[in-house]
Amino acid sequence: MNLHTVEKIGGTSMSDYAAVRDNIIFKNGETDKEGLYQRVFVVSAYGGITDMLLEHKKSGRPGIFALFADANEDHSWVEAIEAVRNRVHEINAELFTDAEQLARANDFIGERLEDAERCLGDLERVCQHGHFALEGHLNVVCEMLASIGEAHSAWNTAELLRQQEGVNARFVDLTGWRDGEHLTLDERIERAFKDIDLATELPITTGYAHTREGLMGTFARGYSEMTFSRIAVVTGAREAIIHKEYHLSSADPRLVGENEAVPIGRTNYDVADQLANLGMEAIHPRAAKGLRQQEIPLRIMNTFEPEHSGTLVTGDYVSETPCVEIIAGRKNIYAVECFDQDMMGLMTTYDRTINDIIRRFKGSVVTKDINANTITNFLATNLKTVKRIRAAVCEEYPDCDIQVRKVAVVSAIGSDMKVPGMLSRAVAALARSGISVLAVHQSMRQVDMQFVVNESDYEEAVKSLHHALVEVYDHGEAICAA
């Protein structure tokens, strides 16, 4: 069995180099080299940089990519590149106090930004010719821009550890910048790690990896977790660790209170999938698949509480007593209800057609309702996409009555929730808080219950369900509600 771990550091954590150095690299602030090696670090871009390169993950504010893809004549993407250049120089100035080191850091990221600007300018000119369509190149542009953020943070971290801390750190660049080879993800990882001695070197690896298929196109903003997962699988890690700015807790502490929400000590990959479905990813489901298949445990740690053992996620864990472990949810959900009297007897056809339309517009289905003549999809997407989906369904089924409503989904999740009466207790708790339940979903597998409520009731629903269904002690090891 291999001795090493593979550890991913999130963007918010990366923005605090002192915390990364003291709490992760040198565990608990101990600066001796004992236990320093036999670890691989996969780093995200500094907080906010990928948003500037692509577009803001939550607000949709356009970054370089979105402005370039808009193909207008104002060349605003050039100004966006300059904004990124200024921001990365600010970050570098905060990290490197030595003038020579700062100059080298600025030269490294400056060269990548200059390459990107030159490529975009050339592509823009080429696509002015009628034989070339910009749309056919946008996926490659997105991949190229995404790679810049992780290259910046990984290079900086390796350099700081070498020059200032005396660590034998090694910058591992998986971005494929200028190498011209189109490899699979596993091939690129195998090649990069072939000559690395984990006993004496500390690899600092880019979270983005250039692949033949395109990592962004397949996994969107979850690409760094896929890189992290495949490195763990390909190198045969004994454990995979994700360092975030928060614990995986029984609920959002901001909603239920710091004293009520506590870290979950153990859970399984099934629970992690349910969280991912709500947009609260412990890890991307496709990334979790490889770890689960190779029986590699996943540990989720809080960067700012290094003394805490975090949450251990394994494939075989089931709570000793059936219980709810986590209350989680999501706002900004659009319920798209499709009613058609002719649907009776043709449900499979209607469902397949509507699913194809949702997939065409890249909508994300959180859950759905089906009865004899109605299909309701609950979509996590923006209103513009919902309108396009609605129009396409209307075109396919002109007699279909389609209603759109904004709602929220709140879930009770656990590795084993086979507790008689739990559903009635949950509904009663919501009723006591004056919350109307618009829809309820509970599968026979008994790993989650989903409640659709008015969006304005979201926060109160989380608090009510947490109070009624979750009891915790000793850093979050779950006790089931009796």
Side-chain angles (χ1 to χ4, degrees):
M1 181 179 178
N2 288 331
L3 300 174
H4 72 280
T5 60
V6 175
E7 310 186 26
K8 178 182 177 295
I9 307 176
T12 302
S13 297
M14 285 299 297
S15 296
D16 190 337
Y17 173 70
V20 168
R21 178 193 62 205
D22 298 339
N23 299 345
I24 300 176
I25 306 296
F26 297 112
K27 300 172 184 177
N28 299 320
E30 298 174 5
T31 55
D32 62 87
K33 303 302 188 292
E34 185 69 26
L36 180 61
Y37 298 102
Q38 292 294 357
R39 292 186 291 169
V40 176
F41 286 101
V42 180
V43 301
S44 297
Y46 296 114
I49 294 299
T50 304
D51 289 339
M52 295 180 72
L53 289 165
L54 304 178
E55 66 179 0
H56 196 284
K57 190 174 182 180
K58 294 182 179 179
S59 71
R61 180 180 179 182
I64 298 171
F65 171 75
L67 292 169
F68 182 79
D70 192 37
N72 55 38
E73 299 297 326
D74 64 3
H75 299 285
S76 53
W77 62 268
V78 177
E79 297 176 6
I81 286 183
E82 189 61 28
V84 170
R85 183 178 288 110
N86 291 336
R87 179 62 189 131
V88 297
H89 283 177
E90 289 175 1
I91 292 171
N92 289 352
E94 294 170 1
L95 294 171
F96 296 95
T97 55
D98 179 83
E100 184 177 342
Q101 291 179 10
L102 176 60
R104 291 184 65 237
N106 287 342
D107 286 346
F108 172 81
I109 189 61
E111 183 178 341
R112 301 245 170 164
L113 288 171
E114 288 167 10
D115 279 357
E117 185 171 7
R118 188 161 47 249
C119 286
L120 295 183
D122 291 345
L123 179 59
E124 188 176 56
R125 283 187 290 275
V126 166
C127 289
Q128 290 174 354
H129 192 284
H131 285 77
F132 297 90
L134 180 62
E135 290 76 12
H137 303 279
L138 288 179
N139 287 341
V140 176
V141 170
C142 188
E143 300 275 339
M144 176 187 69
L145 290 171
S147 74
I148 294 172
E150 276 80 14
H152 176 223
S153 60
W155 189 94
N156 280 4
T157 303
E159 188 74 5
L160 288 164
L161 291 173
R162 275 197 309 268
Q163 299 296 331
Q164 299 183 12
E165 316 299 340
V167 176
N168 189 22
R170 178 167 173 172
F171 170 52
V172 180
D173 188 0
L174 300 180
T175 67
W177 201 265
R178 292 184 174 180
D179 72 1
E181 291 190 272
H182 301 286
L183 308 173
T184 67
L185 179 55
D186 285 6
E187 287 171 345
R188 190 165 293 282
I189 291 168
E190 288 168 356
R191 179 175 297 188
F193 282 85
K194 180 176 60 176
D195 299 322
I196 295 177
D197 180 6
L198 295 179
T200 59
E201 294 180 278
L202 191 69
I204 309 297
T205 310
T206 57
Y208 174 86
H210 176 58
T211 68
R212 184 182 302 148
E213 301 82 7
L215 216 56
M216 275 288 298
T218 308
F219 303 105
R221 297 286 280 268
Y223 60 83
S224 62
E225 291 180 1
M226 197 62 200
T227 303
F228 153 77
S229 169
R230 292 314 301 173
I231 291 175
V233 170
V234 170
T235 63
R238 65 174 175 82
E239 187 172 274
I241 303 172
I242 295 179
H243 299 275
K244 294 178 175 282
E245 70 276 15
Y246 52 80
H247 286 294
L248 183 61
S249 299
S250 58
D252 186 342
R254 294 169 297 182
L255 295 183
V256 303
E258 294 284 346
N259 295 328
E260 283 71 27
V262 292
I264 301 299
R266 290 291 310 274
T267 194
N268 62 31
Y269 283 112
D270 197 348
V271 169
D273 287 346
Q274 309 311 318
L275 291 172
N277 186 50
L278 292 168
M280 301 176 62
E281 293 184 1
I283 186 171
H284 192 286
R286 294 279 294 277
K289 179 180 178 181
L291 299 177
R292 184 173 62 245
Q293 289 178 335
Q294 296 300 313
E295 298 183 350
I296 298 174
L298 170 68
R299 190 178 299 275
I300 301 171
M301 301 281 291
N302 184 332
T303 299
F304 305 100
E305 292 187 30
E307 68 284 352
H308 196 289
S309 59
T311 300
L312 185 64
V313 183
T314 58
D316 59 355
Y317 173 78
V318 178
S319 57
E320 291 184 7
T321 307
C323 62
V324 174
E325 296 170 13
I326 301 173
I327 304 296
R330 187 164 185 168
K331 298 174 71 173
N332 298 314
I333 299 291
Y334 286 93
V336 181
E337 180 186 81
C338 304
F339 165 78
D340 193 334
Q341 201 71 59
D342 295 333
M343 193 180 296
M344 179 65 181
L346 297 172
M347 179 62 66
T348 302
T349 301
Y350 272 75
D351 192 33
R352 182 170 56 247
T353 301
I354 293 171
N355 283 340
D356 288 343
I357 291 171
I358 292 172
R359 190 179 304 112
R360 188 200 317 165
F361 292 102
K362 298 181 180 179
S364 175
V365 180
V366 174
T367 189
K368 70 165 57 179
D369 285 334
I370 295 179
N371 65 21
N373 53 23
T374 307
I375 298 175
T376 304
N377 284 280
F378 297 89
L379 305 179
T381 187
N382 57 59
L383 182 58
K384 182 178 180 180
T385 300
V386 169
K387 288 180 176 179
R388 288 175 173 174
I389 291 170
R390 185 184 188 281
V393 175
C394 285
E395 185 177 349
E396 189 70 31
Y397 298 112
D399 295 330
C400 190
D401 179 19
I402 303 177
Q403 301 295 325
V404 176
R405 178 175 181 176
K406 202 170 187 183
V407 298
V409 175
V410 181
S411 289
I413 304 170
S415 54
D416 180 4
M417 290 174 32
K418 298 182 180 72
V419 180
M422 184 177 288
L423 178 57
S424 64
R425 194 159 61 248
V427 173
L430 294 172
R432 283 194 299 272
S433 297
I435 297 171
S436 296
V437 177
L438 305 178
V440 179
H441 308 113
Q442 183 178 30
S443 67
M444 293 177 65
R445 292 189 58 246
Q446 301 284 300
V447 294
D448 77 324
M449 293 184 297
Q450 294 181 330
F451 301 90
V452 179
V453 299
N454 290 315
E455 190 175 48
S456 59
D457 290 328
Y458 172 74
E459 289 81 2
E460 188 61 36
V462 171
K463 289 189 283 188
S464 299
L465 291 176
H466 189 268
H467 179 73
L469 303 180
V470 179
E471 297 178 43
V472 287
Y473 75 100
D474 191 18
H475 302 293
E477 293 191 2
I479 305 175
C480 63

